[in-house]
Amino acid sequence: MKPDDDLIYLDNNSSTRIDPGVLEEMMPFLTERYGNPSSSHRFGAQVKDAIKLAHERVAALLGCQPNEIVFTSGGTESDNTALHSALQMTPGRRHIVTTSVEHNAVLNFCQTAAKRGCEVTIVEVDGDGHLDVAEVERAIRPDTAVVSVMWANNETGVIFPLEEIAAICREKGVVFHTDAVQAVGKMPIDLSRQSFQFLSLSGHKLHASKGVGALFVSRNSKFHPMVIGGPQEDGRRAGTDNVASIVGLGKAAELAASTIEEENTRVRALRDRFEETIREQLDDVAINGDPGARLPNTSNLAFLGVDAQAILIKLDQEGVCCSLGSSCTTGAVEPSHVLRAMHLTNEHARSSLRFSFGRYNTEAELDRVLEIIPRIVRKLRQLAPV
Ligand SMILES: Cc1ncc(COP(=O)(O)O)c(C=O)c1O
């Protein structure tokens, strides 16, 4: 199904449209190329070659080796696998360090690990969504198995100083994992210059399909698989490969490598014009998260005094898609855990919406949104003045 022509999709941190080039490469593997890549015949070997190419393409985007990429079912599985593996690698160490603004794929894993006897230290962020590197360092103990810090936040776009954190972990001999689900494809990444053990990414955030992702596993790191069975992915992730999606992720990685610069110029310009105009047209609009250290596509705005859910419903009626905090909590009445972790008041958090721009957004769409949002917010403010 094609999205409505009238739809303005500003929810690219939730999921992205599959790139036509990605779909084109996937299609043969959903139709005539249905062989099992593990089979010994040539029909299967062709499929195996396509998976090999996908490893090479994802590795090229990340600046690592093809055999350091393990395909998974998505960001959640990659995060879980990294943490699981780190705990298995160091059986004497039962302590995890993470942050209060991680995705639930990390936070809920940690909660479950805590129920099973691990200890978890959650490092807080400040009002701008920043992490104090010294606090991360202080949290590391002799029994710390892994430090897991996201590269960029899915709700605010705030980018963390990962190089510094990874360097501290290396110095202290602690495994470092980053959830880079929102960073990959939006900012340049060169793992050959980093000392990470694990990095997670997800296909549907970079114009590939849902239900596919990858975990970078450093060749210098030990690894314990979470999904156990057949020999796929060099024995690191069992189960017959999700071939079409893996092929699509490879293509998406190749395309991302060539569009990152665009993300940093055209998409950033759209986002910046959006914020500037909204704040010119409306009083009492605050940017959540440090405006200077954010992903180029993300805008999390508080329309103070207005219930964000009411704005979201009105925007939805006009064909504009955005998000109340993280999409995984959409529908929940509770304000997002990320905005709460930034010590914003409940009222401030409840007035906040996330707009995330992407490859397919246009200036014409922006013009329409910049007419719609101020009109809706003014009307809601008139109806329920503070
Ligand atoms: C930062 C972050 N980590 C992990 C995930 C989970 O990825 P997936 O949907 O591929 O399981 C998401 C998805 O929203 C995310 O934004």
Side-chain angles (χ1 to χ4, degrees):
M1 196 180 79
K2 258 183 73 185
D4 280 323
D5 284 346
D6 285 347
L7 192 86
I8 300 182
Y9 187 76
L10 300 181
D11 205 12
N12 287 279
N13 285 10
S14 282
S15 199
T16 56
R17 182 175 177 171
I18 296 188
D19 190 284
V22 168
L23 189 61
E24 197 184 312
E25 292 224 3
M26 288 173 71
M27 281 312 280
F29 297 94
L30 293 167
T31 51
E32 70 266 22
R33 289 200 183 197
Y34 50 83
N36 189 322
S38 302
S39 297
S40 315
H41 42 70
R42 277 179 300 154
F43 190 52
Q46 285 175 354
V47 180
K48 196 175 180 168
D49 286 347
I51 290 188
K52 185 168 168 269
L53 177 62
H55 276 96
E56 287 164 9
R57 285 169 159 175
V58 174
L61 177 66
L62 300 181
C64 65
Q65 298 298 316
N67 64 1
E68 291 179 305
I69 298 298
V70 176
F71 287 113
T72 66
S73 68
T76 300
E77 187 188 317
S78 297
D79 285 345
N80 277 222
T81 303
L83 297 175
H84 164 87
S85 185
L87 288 169
Q88 298 291 314
M89 277 153 60
T90 51
R93 299 182 175 201
R94 310 303 293 161
H95 177 238
I96 305 173
V97 175
T98 190
T99 83
S100 53
V101 293
E102 297 297 313
H103 191 271
N104 282 338
V106 168
L107 283 179
N108 287 348
F109 181 98
C110 290
Q111 212 175 60
T112 301
K115 284 187 195 140
R116 293 176 183 160
C118 288
E119 274 187 75
V120 182
T121 301
I122 295 186
V123 181
E124 299 284 329
V125 296
D126 67 15
D128 279 335
H130 281 307
L131 198 57
D132 180 353
V133 177
E135 247 189 82
V136 177
E137 185 167 11
R138 276 196 296 276
I140 298 173
R141 317 189 308 208
D143 65 338
T144 301
V146 56
V147 172
S148 181
V149 176
M150 69 197 329
W151 206 324
N153 187 268
N154 43 310
E155 297 197 31
T156 59
V158 170
I159 297 168
F160 286 149
L162 281 210
E163 287 86 351
E164 283 176 64
I165 297 170
I168 291 166
C169 290
R170 189 186 51 216
E171 215 178 277
K172 294 187 179 271
V174 176
V175 171
F176 180 68
H177 162 250
T178 184
D179 175 339
V181 163
Q182 294 293 340
V184 173
K186 294 180 189 143
M187 50 190 269
I189 290 178
D190 183 1
L191 290 177
S192 69
R193 296 156 56 92
Q194 309 293 349
S195 55
F196 304 173
Q197 272 75 32
F198 299 116
L199 173 146
S200 305
L201 66 95
S202 170
H204 71 109
K205 311 291 183 179
L206 67 149
H207 303 282
S209 55
K210 295 167 182 63
V212 68
L215 179 66
F216 157 81
V217 180
S218 164
R219 60 189 177 283
N220 302 320
S221 173
K222 288 194 228 159
F223 182 71
H224 283 255
M226 192 173 71
V227 181
I228 295 164
Q232 291 86 358
E233 295 296 297
D234 270 337
R236 291 175 297 180
R237 202 280 188 174
T240 303
D241 309 81
N242 179 1
V243 178
S245 296
I246 289 172
V247 167
L249 178 49
K251 182 65 183 173
E254 187 188 68
L255 292 170
S258 60
T259 54
I260 279 180
E261 216 169 298
E262 205 244 342
E263 285 275 345
N264 278 288
T265 50
R266 194 187 69 86
V267 176
R268 183 191 294 275
L270 284 177
R271 192 272 313 267
D272 290 351
R273 178 156 89 86
F274 170 77
E275 287 186 342
E276 274 162 29
T277 313
I278 292 279
R279 296 178 87 202
E280 266 164 29
Q281 301 235 352
L282 292 169
D283 293 333
D284 297 326
V285 177
I287 296 175
N288 296 322
D290 179 356
R294 278 182 306 168
L295 291 172
N297 79 318
T298 308
S299 175
N300 195 312
L301 297 181
F303 298 88
L304 301 171
V306 191
D307 177 9
Q309 215 159 4
I311 307 176
L312 184 115
I313 291 166
K314 295 268 178 213
L315 286 175
D316 194 31
Q317 286 165 356
E318 304 233 18
V320 180
C321 304
C322 63
S323 182
L324 275 180
S326 139
S327 67
C328 304
T329 52
T330 299
V333 187
E334 280 294 295
S336 102
H337 76 273
V338 173
L339 299 185
R340 268 187 293 143
M342 288 161 63
H343 311 291
L344 301 175
T345 61
N346 277 357
E347 199 197 0
H348 186 113
R350 287 208 178 96
S351 70
S352 298
L353 287 174
R354 179 190 69 189
F355 302 88
S356 44
F357 295 80
R359 189 176 297 172
Y360 297 112
N361 292 124
T362 63
E363 294 284 347
E365 286 180 337
L366 185 56
D367 290 340
R368 253 186 72 208
V369 163
L370 289 172
E371 182 276 315
I372 294 170
I373 295 178
R375 171 163 52 78
I376 286 175
V377 172
R378 275 190 213 110
K379 185 137 194 193
L380 287 168
R381 280 187 173 151
Q382 273 164 15
L383 289 174
V386 184

